[in-house]
Amino acid sequence: MSVPRDSQSNEGDIEDLLIHITDTLQLHGKKFNKNGGDNFFGKDILSKYIYKEYNSLKLDTLKLILDSISNLKTLYSNKV
């Protein structure tokens, strides 16, 4: 599984996997924007929201990538 990439810069951020949450989420009347700003909330507030609401959010999109990282760590640890 790969992180969705921006068509212009060919880069992707981990929060792009949370688009099903960030597209509709509003906190204190503000929508999510990676860069934050006066009219938006940014990555820091999003991470705190996810930490607080972890049990009530559908985070299946992250499970595959986190499982892959865990498997790679195990494979690497066994070879060292």
Side-chain angles (χ1 to χ4, degrees):
M1 173 178 214
S2 63
V3 176
R5 298 179 185 269
D6 181 313
S7 61
Q8 293 176 344
S9 66
N10 202 28
E11 294 181 3
D13 296 314
I14 193 76
E15 63 272 4
D16 293 334
L17 293 171
L18 302 171
I19 198 160
H20 66 284
I21 295 170
T22 59
D23 269 1
T24 58
L25 181 63
Q26 284 199 14
L27 300 174
H28 305 288
K30 296 181 179 185
K31 292 191 65 122
F32 174 72
N33 181 291
K34 293 177 188 179
N35 300 316
D38 292 338
N39 299 317
F40 302 95
F41 66 92
K43 295 179 181 186
D44 181 55
I45 293 173
L46 177 63
S47 68
K48 290 175 183 170
Y49 171 79
I50 289 174
Y51 180 78
K52 181 180 173 189
E53 301 295 330
Y54 178 80
N55 289 325
S56 65
L57 297 173
K58 185 176 179 186
L59 299 173
D60 296 344
T61 54
L62 293 179
K63 183 169 177 16
L64 289 173
I65 196 165
L66 294 175
D67 285 349
S68 296
I69 291 169
S70 179
N71 291 339
L72 288 172
K73 182 179 178 228
T74 302
L75 286 171
Y76 180 78
S77 296
N78 290 338
K79 292 187 179 208
V80 174

